[in-house]
Amino acid sequence: MRSKSLFLSAFFMAIVFACSAQCGSASFSIDRWKSKITQLNIQLLDGQCTTLSHELQDEKFEDLFSVRKGIEKVRLMCKDRKDGLREVVFLAEGKDGGLYIRCTGKFTQHDLDQMTSSLKD
């Protein structure tokens, strides 16, 4: 359990750093969502990855939050699954690459609203 907590801390720190680099500043509290995550995928993107946004739309992900400054983009997307879980994707892209974080969990609408709000602040 300790290693999961450390890994999730690193995960949310990566979100904070990516947001800071892309859209000013952001803050996430790991304590709020760590018990709800059942699956996690983190990828660093090279500058070549340009179709990921389209692939997510094809998978029926909906935008919760999106900011664009020139070619740099930050997106938070969500998709409800048939098993009652939700998939949440954080995508930060720029000319030199980006960060892709996809997690599945038991997220409520309130959780999604808090994630979106924390990115807007």
Side-chain angles (χ1 to χ4, degrees):
M1 184 63 175
R2 174 106 171 114
S3 63
K4 180 180 178 183
S5 178
L6 290 174
F7 183 72
L8 289 175
S9 295
F11 158 68
F12 284 108
M13 287 303 296
I15 289 175
V16 170
F17 288 127
C19 282
S20 296
Q22 300 289 327
C23 65
S25 66
S27 87
F28 268 69
S29 171
I30 185 165
D31 293 331
R32 195 175 294 168
W33 300 296
K34 72 179 179 181
S35 64
K36 297 183 177 204
I37 296 173
T38 59
Q39 186 175 7
L40 180 65
N41 179 1
I42 301 174
Q43 296 178 19
L44 294 175
L45 306 173
D46 62 17
Q48 307 292 324
C49 189
T50 58
T51 62
L52 192 52
S53 291
H54 297 296
E55 291 172 19
L56 292 169
Q57 288 174 332
D58 291 344
E59 289 183 47
K60 308 295 185 216
F61 276 87
E62 298 177 20
D63 274 321
L64 297 175
F65 177 80
S66 180
V67 173
R68 181 180 203 145
K69 183 177 180 182
I71 62 169
E72 295 179 343
K73 297 183 275 188
V74 173
R75 295 177 80 177
L76 183 67
M77 304 173 82
C78 177
K79 176 174 82 168
D80 292 337
R81 294 185 2 174
K82 293 179 183 178
D83 60 4
L85 298 176
R86 284 192 165 129
E87 289 186 67
V88 177
V89 169
F90 173 83
L91 179 61
E93 297 177 293
K95 68 178 182 175
D96 296 326
L99 179 65
Y100 168 79
I101 301 170
R102 185 174 186 158
C103 57
T104 303
K106 300 173 186 174
F107 302 110
T108 64
Q109 184 60 48
H110 182 69
D111 295 330
L112 299 177
D113 292 343
Q114 287 180 328
M115 290 177 195
T116 301
S117 177
S118 66
L119 287 172
K120 289 180 180 179
D121 292 341

